[in-house]
Amino acid sequence: MRKEEFHLKFFMCVIESRGLVRTPQSTAREASTSSMLIQKPPPETDDLKHLHAVDDPTTKEGIPILKNEWIMTHEEHHAAKTLGIGKAIAVLTSGGDAQGMNAAVRAVVRVGIFTGARVFFVHEGYQGLVDGGDHIREATWESVSMMLQLGGTVIGSARCKDFREREGRLRAAHNLVKRGITNLCVIGGDGSLTGADTFRSEWSDLLSDLQKAGKITAEEATKSSYLNIVGLVGSIDNDFCGTDMTIGTDSALHRIIEIVDAITTTAQSHQRTFVLEVMGRHCGYLALVTSLSCGADWVFIPECPPDDDWEEHLCRRLSETRTRGSRLNIIIVAEGAIDKNGKPITSEEIKELVVKRLGYDTRVTVLGHVQRGGTPSAFDRILGSRMGVEAVMALLEGTPDTPACVVSLSGNQAVRLPLMECVQVTKDVTKAMNDRKFDEAMKLRGRSFMNNWEVYKLLAHIRPPVSKTSATMHTVAVMNVGAPAAGMNAAVRSTVRIGLIQGNRVLVVHDGFEGLAKGQIEEAGWSYVGGWTGQGGSKLGTKRTLPKKSFEQISANITKFNIQGLIIIGGFEAYTGGLELMEGRKQFDELCIPFVVIPATVSNNVPGSDFSVGADTALNTICTTCDRIKQSAAGTKRRVFIIETMGGYCGYLATMAGLAAGADAAYIFEEPFTIRDLQANVEHLVQKMKTTVKRGLVLRNEKCNENYTTDFIFNLYSEEGKGIFDSRKNVLGHMQQGGSPTPFDRNFATKMGAKAMNWMSGKIKESYRNGRIFANTPDSGCVLGMRKRALVFQPVTELKDQTDFDHRIPKEQWWLKLRPILKILAKYEIDLDTTEHAHLEHISRKRSGETSI
């Protein structure tokens, strides 16, 4: 090899290991992570508000957005690291606190410092901005350490009357100008963001008044000639139009579901009815998603008041539930619940009604501010971090002509929207409810909110048919395949009950394809799946066995039980099993029935879907463990923990847990690493031990490298860290597959089950030929997946080209683009990928063509 070729090859290896470019070999596994790739626009949208869906492929709750489709050059990458030089950013939290605010503050501080900017905390919200002094302090990298896992807001929040007056805003402007701050990041609700916009619109006049009064010089006024404002929405109510999820909503749902699960056990013991009141004065999102996540008998929300005779309907519903064998009733009430005349419906009123008419032992639990407290969920930590990164870039790229914007979540991407236009749409919802235009209010909330409502009504209000006729009845079988995942039972429950509502006969198969071959099949009624929503694992039993070796027995049982459609809930084995069923159709006509795969695996490695049922629960389990380990490391000082996560060859859990737990590094298969990278990580930790943050956290995906095992990395860190830090290792193992499903997984599974059964009913009718079901087209065997913001059915045969079968992962994975954020927040000197930044667009009240799942 010539000397020039050797140097070129060595240079390419080094920059590839640092994530700057991708060779053809690595690109095959990590095409989606390359900063050189063009970002494609998202597909048609479907639903799932809690799962990051919106109303239209180009809108956010009716607010259009525009994705970038340009290629980032190396010069533009380098510019990101110098973008903030000579600039100053202030960050404050205002209004009601929400879990995840600290993650956003941490990201703003660290990314701001990364770009070369000075960053300031504003303590106690707008009051601190007005009072100045020690309320406005410069932040350092270490000052936001150990902040990620804390609830509330560590820099404080307060309602400020002074800022509502011009005199207060004048004082605030003076405090900012004297510190050279011309960029303000506000984390709060619509009231806080409206105040920020007012402040910005008055900025020039405020500077003029301050200069006339001699409080600032002409030079200071010139340097601070304009103020950039970026808002991040922190609100547990998820009541802000323009974003799929607000910071804090997912964590609030965690608190609510924890309490509901605890109450369920005592309610069953005493056969009681519980009325639970949750927050949501003007928005019923928390109540609605809670009702779906716990299988509540009834929910009251302000957007959709009950019919005038709701008392009769409620009592009948509760008594029917008891008649079917249930020992408890759960009723969820949003604090802003009203009837159609605008009269409040209170928890006590509902209790008195149930006691008087039914005589049930009924108790009321008002959750109150417990919903705001506690540790933020993994979702909120990641959401806050991603929004914080985008907020800094939006501030530093701002110009005098750039309107105040709000950073929101659109599918899997952070986008910027005009702040006041989002606020106006939010106010329109409240006005519609005040004017008793409840249908309009539901539409303004967005299609996903409406879909949540429609699925709830199906599962809670529609009576299953008492008798079935052979002309309309179809037989659908449901099964679990692969490793257990939290949320599988919720998917089975939804599938069974939607099937029964549609007049179908639903069978459940125990132990996967093995049980299908052995005839371990039974019919499921409405009560069969009662209480399954919150239960972890797989009640049906699940195995990794594939169907190919048992085609003859499976075909015989399909005929014996007259199975006309198959819903497979599972992981990579479910997907590969589906491919085998398609191949088996050539030999066995009995296999020519429609089937659909619902991805359910902690590994999140099923091709055709960005998310899998169970992955969120596993992610939160890892985060909880990492929090405790970090606490231990903080107490002992100078200690580094190496944590091994599950996932097979898929690095989703390691990457996302690393981002959510504040890890120093996360080793994954999709991003190859060398001994030089390991050495660089050790040196990074050595430098870290010289600061006030004397601890380290390193995550390793279980199959990231066959030679650099967890033991190898542990031994390497132990040897290289001698005299500087101690090392410990922890293999989390199967605890990641256990536990009760999170609200995200419960809601996701419920929606997926309903969607799958609706598709199945239509596909069976479509495949009915000559007195029998015969489905042999590619689209009769699909994976139901979530792609960016859409729920789509994709033929399993079309997904083969997108699959790395040797390593059981998709060839392209969206989350790989988040890895630079993880490294930047851990203080690594790398390039920031800004290719996802969106241009600012304006609101379009486009509400036509809305459909539901």
Side-chain angles (χ1 to χ4, degrees), residues 102 117 146 172 204 222 266 304 343 417 424 471 542 556 563 565 592 620:
N102 290 326
M146 289 297 283
S204 296
T222 301
T266 183
C304 191
K343 178 186 174 184
L417 300 170
Q424 186 57 52
T542 179
I563 297 173
C592 293
N620 278 277

Side-chain angles (χ1 to χ4, degrees), residues 547-558:
K548 191 172 184 178
K549 294 181 180 180
S550 307
F551 277 161
E552 191 170 332
Q553 298 94 318
I554 289 173
S555 298
N557 282 321
I558 287 175

Side-chain angles (χ1 to χ4, degrees), residues 44-47 54-59 62 443 446-448 450-451 755 844-853:
E44 289 290 330
T45 186
D46 191 82
D47 103 310
V54 292
D55 297 337
D56 182 87
T58 55
T59 64
K443 290 179 180 178
R447 184 175 64 181
S448 54
M450 295 177 67
N451 291 337
K755 184 84 170 177
S844 170
R845 305 296 172 81
K846 182 178 178 181
R847 295 289 170 184
S848 60
E850 295 186 342
T851 58
S852 61
I853 65 170

Side-chain angles (χ1 to χ4, degrees), residues 96-98 101 188-189 233-240 246-249 372:
D97 64 304
M101 281 183 167
V233 189
S235 168
I236 68 167
D237 292 337
N238 203 29
D239 56 353
F240 191 85
T246 57
I247 297 170
T249 301
R372 291 191 186 276

Side-chain angles (χ1 to χ4, degrees), residues 240-536:
F240 191 85
C241 294
T243 185
D244 294 346
M245 286 287 281
T246 57
I247 297 170
T249 301
D250 188 67
S251 300
L253 285 168
H254 274 251
R255 300 295 90 78
I256 296 169
I257 291 300
E258 287 167 7
I259 294 168
V260 171
D261 286 349
I263 281 176
T264 297
T265 57
T266 183
Q268 287 177 330
S269 300
H270 299 277
Q271 299 190 62
R272 284 177 175 151
T273 295
F274 269 86
V275 182
L276 281 83
E277 183 178 307
V278 301
M279 286 186 169
R281 191 172 303 154
H282 303 295
C283 180
Y285 182 80
L286 288 178
L288 181 54
V289 174
T290 297
S291 69
L292 282 173
S293 300
C294 72
D297 296 288
W298 199 281
V299 65
F300 292 90
I301 60 174
E303 291 90 346
C304 191
D307 296 330
D308 292 335
D309 57 346
W310 65 268
E311 295 94 340
E312 185 67 32
H313 286 295
L314 172 62
C315 292
R316 185 176 69 245
R317 169 66 184 168
L318 299 181
S319 62
E320 287 175 352
T321 302
R322 293 292 180 98
T323 301
R324 287 195 289 263
S326 177
R327 293 176 58 85
L328 77 158
N329 299 111
I330 299 293
I331 302 169
I332 308 296
V333 186
E335 62 178 332
I338 55 175
D339 62 20
K340 289 195 172 180
N341 298 315
K343 178 186 174 184
I345 298 176
T346 66
S347 301
E348 287 296 332
E349 178 186 348
I350 297 168
K351 173 189 173 182
E352 292 173 5
L353 171 69
V354 175
V355 171
K356 182 179 179 180
R357 295 203 184 181
L358 299 176
Y360 293 167
D361 185 1
T362 306
R363 305 297 169 91
V364 172
T365 299
V366 180
L367 271 59
H369 283 75
V370 69
Q371 297 160 84
R372 291 191 186 276
T375 301
S377 67
F379 179 88
D380 275 328
R381 300 184 198 191
I382 296 168
L383 176 64
S385 298
R386 294 184 66 187
M387 285 188 167
V389 172
E390 182 67 23
V392 171
M393 303 313 296
L395 284 170
L396 298 182
E397 293 169 2
T399 67
D401 299 325
T402 305
C405 73
V406 60
V407 176
S408 69
L409 182 71
S410 174
N412 291 329
Q413 296 172 298
V415 298
R416 308 171 192 173
L417 300 170
L419 189 153
M420 287 312 296
E421 294 182 7
C422 294
V423 170
Q424 186 57 52
V425 176
T426 303
K427 290 180 177 179
D428 289 345
V429 178
T430 304
K431 184 178 185 300
M433 288 192 290
N434 291 337
D435 294 342
R436 310 288 181 265
K437 297 178 180 178
F438 299 109
D439 289 341
E440 182 180 341
M442 288 285 282
K443 290 179 180 178
L444 287 170
R445 282 282 181 230
R447 184 175 64 181
S448 54
F449 189 96
M450 295 177 67
N451 291 337
N452 276 325
W453 179 250
E454 292 301 322
V455 173
Y456 156 73
K457 286 197 301 182
L458 273 177
L459 293 172
H461 288 260
I462 305 299
R463 295 182 180 181
V466 177
S467 60
K468 307 183 184 80
T469 62
S470 58
T472 59
M473 183 179 68
H474 302 296
T475 302
V476 180
V478 185
M479 62 194 298
N480 293 338
V481 174
M488 277 183 164
N489 295 324
V492 172
R493 171 186 175 273
S494 174
T495 302
V496 168
R497 291 194 169 179
I498 294 295
L500 294 173
I501 288 169
Q502 293 174 347
N504 296 323
R505 174 173 170 252
V506 183
L507 305 177
V508 292
V509 181
H510 297 272
D511 297 336
F513 286 117
E514 184 178 311
L516 185 60
K518 293 180 178 180
Q520 296 172 209
I521 303 168
E522 63 178 318
E523 186 169 352
W526 189 271
S527 300
Y528 186 93
V529 291
W532 281 28
T533 307
Q535 297 189 32

